[in-house]
Amino acid sequence: MKFDKLKDVLPLNTPVSILIDPSNVCNFKCTFCPTGNIDMRRKSKRPIGRMSYELFKKIINDISKFESKINTIKLYKDGEPLLNKNIYKMINYAKKKNITNDLHITTNASLLNRENTANLINAGIDSIKISVEHVSNKGYKDITQISHTTYDDIYNNVAYLYKYKMANNPNVRLHVKIEDTGLTKKEIQKFMSDFTPISDTISIDHLMGWASTGEQDLTLGVNSDKKTDGSYKSNNEKNVCPTIFYSLSISFNGDISPCCIDWNHSLVLGNVNDNSLLEIWNGESVKSFRLDQLMGKHKSYDLCKSCDYLASRPSSTNLDSYKHDLIDIYQNN
């Protein structure tokens, strides 16, 4: 479902988007990501692992029970999805179920050798986002804190991916983006020059800082006055986060979170091992969280009280002016 204003289509019987995390393990240790921060992971005591193929199939079968197709299913959340050995089987299973308009994956491209590239395209993926971390070999080592993958490796992998998809399925949409971690104008120009010819779309994104990070500044002190899309934050703070009204995030172990930035599972609203997605979507835990958002109680949640993500939600999803009407709807729904 697409909408001009979110408030006009609420309450939704079917989520607009669902994130499924095939792996919350990553082969990078990026300085702006909590997954790469060993101290944060230890303190949070979050579970670590890769989603089983059986659980993934259960989730996809659950999704097929919703009234409508999901607009987008995103196969990523906290880690590198290609680290799950069943990822291509998962994509193929979801594709054959015909439950979404856009089956999407985000990857750091380090594992996209020729075999994996062919597997990814041939499995039936609809869109791919590549996260480029820097534009030099030294920059890659500084940001990812690993030495086994270089900028040259990533560029060559993306170049082959673009070539392969254009030859075999040009309808696959390839987007390449880089986070502005303090890039110079020259580095930004290099990124644009290198990747524009080998992608369908391209962007410079800005760090969001994540949530529940304590004293860690995962914006790295860069562009803290900007949203993730590069536009400037408004002085008027938003109060109602719209995400739970149209989306769900599913961690590798089946935990349901209201938001993709809940990296440490701080707010679990259910688990798909225990209930169906349809039951959770319409259940009391999700309903209660929606009402807390509408009633201005979001700051009582650790996940929400230091969140920088809300500022980046598009204007079409702003619910602040309609919260009183929506309270009545959700209390009686």
Side-chain angles (χ1 to χ4, degrees), residues 177-194:
K177 60 95 171 178
I178 191 170
E179 300 286 349
D180 184 0
T181 53
L183 298 170
T184 65
K185 287 184 178 180
K186 186 176 180 180
E187 288 168 339
I188 290 174
Q189 289 170 354
K190 177 173 171 52
F191 170 75
M192 300 296 289
S193 175
D194 284 356

Side-chain angles (χ1 to χ4, degrees), residues 10 21 29 61 137 188 276 302 311 329:
L10 294 179
D21 196 9
K29 300 176 182 177
N61 293 340
N137 291 339
I188 290 174
S276 72
D302 287 340
I329 290 171

Side-chain angles (χ1 to χ4, degrees), residues 46 211-212 257-258 261-268 301-304:
R46 77 168 189 185
S212 306
S257 173
I261 65 171
D262 188 14
W263 63 274
N264 63 345
H265 302 211
S266 67
L267 183 57
V268 176
Y301 293 92
D302 287 340
L303 173 65
C304 304

Side-chain angles (χ1 to χ4, degrees), residues 197-210:
I198 55 172
S199 63
D200 297 314
T201 53
I202 195 168
S203 67
I204 312 292
D205 293 355
H206 295 269
L207 300 172
M208 63 184 176
W210 295 85

Side-chain angles (χ1 to χ4, degrees), residues 211-256:
S212 306
T213 58
E215 296 180 0
Q216 297 281 347
D217 177 18
L218 296 185
T219 67
L220 309 181
V222 179
N223 293 317
S224 58
D225 58 342
K226 289 186 177 181
K227 303 179 187 178
T228 54
D229 64 1
S231 60
Y232 284 91
K233 295 176 183 176
S234 168
N235 290 328
N236 298 317
E237 182 184 8
K238 295 177 185 176
N239 289 304
V240 181
C241 180
T243 307
I244 190 59
F245 294 88
Y246 67 88
S247 180
L248 285 177
S249 296
I250 309 174
S251 296
F252 82 95
N253 63 347
D255 282 346
I256 299 290

Side-chain angles (χ1 to χ4, degrees), residues 293-333:
Q293 286 290 336
L294 293 168
M295 293 175 178
K297 299 179 181 179
H298 61 289
K299 295 294 186 182
S300 64
Y301 293 92
D302 287 340
L303 173 65
C304 304
K305 64 184 179 183
S306 60
C307 176
D308 200 35
Y309 189 60
L310 175 55
S312 297
R313 297 303 79 210
S315 59
S316 61
T317 65
N318 195 329
L319 300 178
D320 282 14
S321 299
Y322 317 103
K323 59 186 178 183
H324 297 297
D325 291 337
L326 290 172
I327 287 171
D328 291 337
I329 290 171
Y330 279 98
Q331 281 180 331
N332 297 309
N333 187 38

Side-chain angles (χ1 to χ4, degrees), residues 93-285:
Y93 187 82
K95 186 66 174 180
K96 287 181 176 178
K97 284 292 186 177
N98 194 28
I99 53 172
T100 181
N101 297 316
D102 179 24
L103 187 59
H104 171 88
I105 197 166
T106 294
T107 172
N108 62 33
S110 63
L111 300 176
L112 282 179
N113 57 32
R114 295 196 171 201
E115 180 183 0
N116 289 342
T117 292
N119 288 337
L120 181 60
I121 298 298
N122 297 338
I125 201 73
D126 293 310
S127 63
I128 304 167
K129 181 186 289 184
I130 304 294
S131 294
V132 174
E133 314 305 349
H134 209 273
V135 293
S136 71
N137 291 339
K138 181 183 182 304
Y140 245 83
K141 186 174 182 179
D142 291 343
I143 292 294
T144 65
Q145 303 184 83
I146 54 95
S147 57
H148 53 72
T149 301
T150 66
Y151 172 73
D152 294 336
D153 295 330
I154 299 300
Y155 175 81
N156 290 333
N157 287 353
V158 176
Y160 182 76
L161 171 64
Y162 183 73
K163 179 181 178 181
Y164 188 92
K165 78 100 177 176
M166 290 302 294
N168 293 276
N169 188 354
N171 290 327
V172 174
R173 298 176 298 281
L174 177 59
H175 179 81
V176 181
K177 60 95 171 178
I178 191 170
E179 300 286 349
D180 184 0
T181 53
L183 298 170
T184 65
K185 287 184 178 180
K186 186 176 180 180
E187 288 168 339
I188 290 174
Q189 289 170 354
K190 177 173 171 52
F191 170 75
M192 300 296 289
S193 175
D194 284 356
F195 286 99
T196 297
I198 55 172
S199 63
D200 297 314
T201 53
I202 195 168
S203 67
I204 312 292
D205 293 355
H206 295 269
L207 300 172
M208 63 184 176
W210 295 85
S212 306
T213 58
E215 296 180 0
Q216 297 281 347
D217 177 18
L218 296 185
T219 67
L220 309 181
V222 179
N223 293 317
S224 58
D225 58 342
K226 289 186 177 181
K227 303 179 187 178
T228 54
D229 64 1
S231 60
Y232 284 91
K233 295 176 183 176
S234 168
N235 290 328
N236 298 317
E237 182 184 8
K238 295 177 185 176
N239 289 304
V240 181
C241 180
T243 307
I244 190 59
F245 294 88
Y246 67 88
S247 180
L248 285 177
S249 296
I250 309 174
S251 296
F252 82 95
N253 63 347
D255 282 346
I256 299 290
S257 173
C259 182
C260 64
I261 65 171
D262 188 14
W263 63 274
N264 63 345
H265 302 211
S266 67
L267 183 57
V268 176
L269 300 178
N271 188 291
V272 291
N273 287 291
D274 303 322
N275 299 98
S276 72
L277 268 179
L278 187 60
E279 290 171 333
I280 294 169
W281 179 252
N282 294 316
E284 286 303 313
S285 292

